[in-house]
Amino acid sequence: MGDQRIKDIILDIIAVVAPDAEVSNVKSDVRLRDQLDLDSMDFLDIVMELRKRYKIEIPKEEYPELATLDSCAAYLGPKLAAVTAA
Amino acid sequence: MDYDVIIIGAGMSGLAAGIRLAYFGQRVCILEKHYAFGGLNSYYRLDGRDYDVGLHAVTNFVGPGVRDTPLPKLLRQLRLSRDDFDLQPQRYSEIRFPGVSLRFTNDLNDLIADVAEKFPGEADHFRRLCTFIRDYDDTVLLPPYRSTRETLKGFLHEPMLVEMLLCPIMYYGSAEEHDMDLLQFVIIFKSLFCEGFARPRDGVRKIIKALVRKYRSCGGELRMQSSVARLDVADDRVKSVIIDGGESLIASTVLSSAGYVETMRFCADAPPIPTQDVGRVSFVETIAVLDALPQRLGHEAAIVFFNDSETFTYAMPECPVDMRSGVVCCPSNYEGHDDMPEGFLRMTWLANSDAWMEADEGTYRQYKDDYLTAFKAQARRYVPTIDDHFITSDMFTPRTIHRYTSRINGAVYGSPRKRRDGRTHLKNLFLCGTDQGYLGIIGALLSGITIANMHVLAEE
Ligand SMILES: Cc1cc2nc3c(=O)[nH]c(=O)nc-3n(C[C@H](O)[C@H](O)[C@H](O)COP(=O)(O)OP(=O)(O)OC[C@H]3O[C@@H](n4cnc5c(N)ncnc54)[C@H](O)[C@@H]3O)c2cc1C
């Protein structure tokens, strides 16, 4: 799955988790929490939505991998490839 | 295994927990003793008229731009929109003490200005108190107990101002008599004064129906008239949930919104419960239906918290009802409510639960008659012509609350000792709602969400 596709998935999820967040101008290399004012509950929900939609398990210690859209793409790429291939 | 999670109670906290869990694919079943949802904040129909059991105000109201307070947070967590609750803000409310009244709105600055006008010497002190409250970290789960009265005395010099702040805050969420834990005070202060009051035009049914619809659409199961009789325990865990009639259900985790003491009574091995942990603060509320809206009869406040002397006593009274203080609520005094077909005036007083619980049928009815007369006399202070417009009334008492929610003593705010982490002596049994410690409609919803997140979803 391409990086852009993964970024779109994350933005889609943010639109559900935090419908009042402004997702149209999100920068790929800046921490999502700094741009979008997501709290820890919202953040847990991004992880939960990934599990719900794509059956991806993300251990707590790896949450920092989801800090920016770029890091999401790098971290989730192989995981999404594994589930879509399966 | 029948379910991943069984939730006891379809009140605000149980429904909120249920939505979170079902949405994320858990197999959830809510067991509700009653035939109606909503618990302490339900609704009913009587003689062709819709009533709310308890709704005065949905607290914590903030405008659409705000994101980081309880109301927007819980809407996000439940995947609901602001429209689902249809909240209409209040115009203003009042705290009335002898010779002084304070007016507040959904903008804290109005209260700050009114305090400065009525208590000029306290203006700076009160502002400092507001800053202290704003900066107080209310997310700490288990802080040590701090007395609110002592803390307030450190900021304010006018004893009556202390009492005037305690009156609405204790009425809207203190399980403790006489004083309260500072953390609880801070949470309620913010929910009333920093955020504010609102109401759905259709009353609480709007909220409950939105919750039930959401829960069902996520695949959650709801079993009404299914009263939990017992929890079978082995190896420090709930092994099965037994409902009246004997059916046994098995789940990995059980969340109970029935109250701490009430839940312990389901378990044969429960630890002993100190008497001071059993809640006893309860209320009598009279609801009068009028053929005109109170605002057309000269009464425009959404809520009035009144106290007839300079000191405020918040405790279970000796007599059936303590009429020296109370809360007056007019649902039509919210924005967008001017076309309500009939007026309502509700008045709440502190009550002695033993007196109402133990009265025989004749005495119970006599009390109700006597207090309806007393109610009219007091209501004339707000709506002088109330007798000319009175159509009918209903009254609920500690006995009613007990009958519909099974809360011991009809104690609306549950046990004075809260268990904020939701834990019990059993590894897979957790409390949510009132006895976890977040109170009121918004508090209970947030409690269900928090406990579901903390003990089920984050644990996976
Ligand atoms: C008169 C009154 C007025 C109020 N006004 C307001 C207000 O204006 N604004 C506000 O924010 N809050 C108000 N509140 C407070 C608010 O209603 C409560 O804090 C909140 O609803 C508590 O929700 P809960 O989920 O903790 O508990 P509950 O609503 O009590 O839910 C517990 C549920 O568990 C069920 N249950 C109990 N035992 C069993 C069993 N053995 N088996 C199965 N089910 C069981 C009960 O039937 C109940 O439905 C008011 C309360 C009252 C009584």
Side-chain angles (χ1 to χ4, degrees), chain B residues 58-298:
Chain B
V58 174
T59 58
N60 300 86
F61 179 79
V62 288
V66 183
R67 298 190 70 246
D68 57 353
T69 64
L71 174 67
K73 276 188 195 209
L74 75 85
L75 288 171
R76 294 207 294 278
Q77 288 271 302
L78 298 176
R79 307 290 188 265
L80 292 170
S81 75
R82 291 177 64 92
D83 292 344
D84 289 316
F85 285 3
D86 182 36
L87 295 175
Q88 306 296 319
Q90 68 163 337
R91 295 196 182 96
Y92 69 90
S93 291
E94 282 179 348
I95 307 165
R96 288 196 197 175
F97 272 53
V100 192
S101 77
L102 288 173
R103 183 182 281 219
F104 64 97
T105 64
N106 292 352
D107 178 352
L108 179 63
N109 291 318
D110 290 331
L111 178 61
I112 291 175
D114 213 28
V115 168
E117 191 186 320
K118 311 285 172 50
F119 297 93
E122 294 283 53
D124 288 339
H125 304 151
F126 185 64
R127 233 176 268 124
R128 227 169 289 146
L129 174 67
C130 292
T131 309
F132 168 78
I133 288 171
R134 191 196 61 206
D135 297 340
Y136 194 90
D137 182 4
D138 57 20
T139 59
V140 183
L141 265 189
L142 300 165
Y145 181 91
R146 266 177 85 176
S147 158
T148 296
R149 283 189 177 273
E150 289 310 311
T151 308
L152 291 180
K153 278 185 209 152
F155 283 93
L156 304 170
H157 299 158
E158 291 268 6
M160 194 158 86
L161 181 56
V162 171
E163 306 288 316
M164 289 183 85
L165 294 174
L166 282 169
C167 174
I169 292 180
M170 295 190 91
Y171 259 105
Y172 273 12
S174 183
E176 204 186 320
E177 300 172 80
H178 305 294
D179 196 356
M180 65 194 293
D181 187 8
L182 183 64
L183 174 68
Q184 193 73 9
F185 176 85
V186 166
I187 292 174
I188 302 175
F189 186 100
K190 288 181 182 168
S191 75
L192 265 56
F193 299 135
C194 304
E195 294 153 32
F197 291 162
R199 184 183 188 279
R201 268 171 289 216
D202 291 339
V204 80
R205 68 200 66 219
K206 178 80 184 170
I207 295 176
I208 292 169
K209 284 179 179 170
L211 295 170
V212 171
R213 213 182 305 121
K214 188 78 189 184
Y215 176 65
R216 291 218 163 104
S217 77
C218 295
E221 188 179 333
L222 195 48
R223 290 178 58 169
M224 308 306 288
Q225 292 178 286
S226 300
S227 179
V228 172
R230 206 171 75 235
L231 299 176
D232 278 349
V233 174
D235 305 327
D236 297 328
R237 296 179 69 83
V238 178
K239 285 288 171 224
S240 53
V241 177
I242 316 296
I243 54 182
D244 273 354
E247 191 181 349
S248 158
L249 298 169
I250 297 177
S252 322
T253 305
V254 177
L255 306 183
S256 174
S257 68
Y260 175 73
V261 182
E262 292 81 351
T263 301
M264 288 304 108
R265 292 190 178 172
F266 301 146
C267 311
D269 71 330
I273 292 159
T275 33
Q276 69 268 22
D277 284 6
V278 181
R280 39 181 235 157
V281 173
S282 192
F283 304 103
V284 159
E285 182 156 305
T286 310
I287 307 169
V289 184
L290 311 179
D291 68 8
L293 301 185
Q295 61 263 47
R296 309 256 151 73
L297 305 172

Side-chain angles (χ1 to χ4, degrees), chain B residues 9 13 32-33 39-41 54 56-57 228 266 396 407 433-434 440-441:
Chain B
S13 64
E32 169 55 55
K33 180 174 188 165
L40 284 169
N41 227 302
H56 287 187
V228 172
F266 301 146
F396 70 79
R407 295 227 174 252
T434 304
I441 296 169

Side-chain angles (χ1 to χ4, degrees), chain A residues 16-18 20 36-37 39 41-42 45 48-49 51-52 60, chain B residues 20 23-24 67 73 76-77 79 446 449-450 453 457-458 460:
Chain A
V16 170
V17 167
D20 37 5
L36 293 172
D37 171 32
D39 62 21
M41 279 177 144
D42 300 329
D45 268 18
M48 299 287 305
E49 286 282 350
R51 183 199 296 165
K52 177 176 156 105
K60 257 190 202 122
Chain B
R20 285 292 293 170
Y23 179 84
F24 286 117
R67 298 190 70 246
K73 276 188 195 209
R76 294 207 294 278
Q77 288 271 302
R79 307 290 188 265
L446 207 57
I449 292 170
T450 308
N453 287 353
L457 298 177
E460 294 238 297

Side-chain angles (χ1 to χ4, degrees), chain B residues 8-15 31-34 36-42 53-59 172 226-229 257-259 262 266 283 285 303 346 348 396 401 404-407 412-413 432-435 438-445:
Chain B
I8 305 174
M12 297 288 172
S13 64
L15 288 168
L31 301 173
E32 169 55 55
K33 180 174 188 165
H34 202 41
F37 344 96
L40 284 169
N41 227 302
S42 191
V53 173
L55 180 70
H56 287 187
V58 174
T59 58
Y172 273 12
S226 300
S227 179
V228 172
S257 68
E262 292 81 351
F266 301 146
F283 304 103
E285 182 156 305
I303 316 276
R346 317 176 61 112
T348 312
F396 70 79
I401 298 170
Y404 288 105
T405 66
S406 311
R407 295 227 174 252
V412 170
Y413 298 131
C432 65
T434 304
D435 281 351
Y438 297 156
L439 294 172
I441 296 169
I442 297 298
L445 291 171

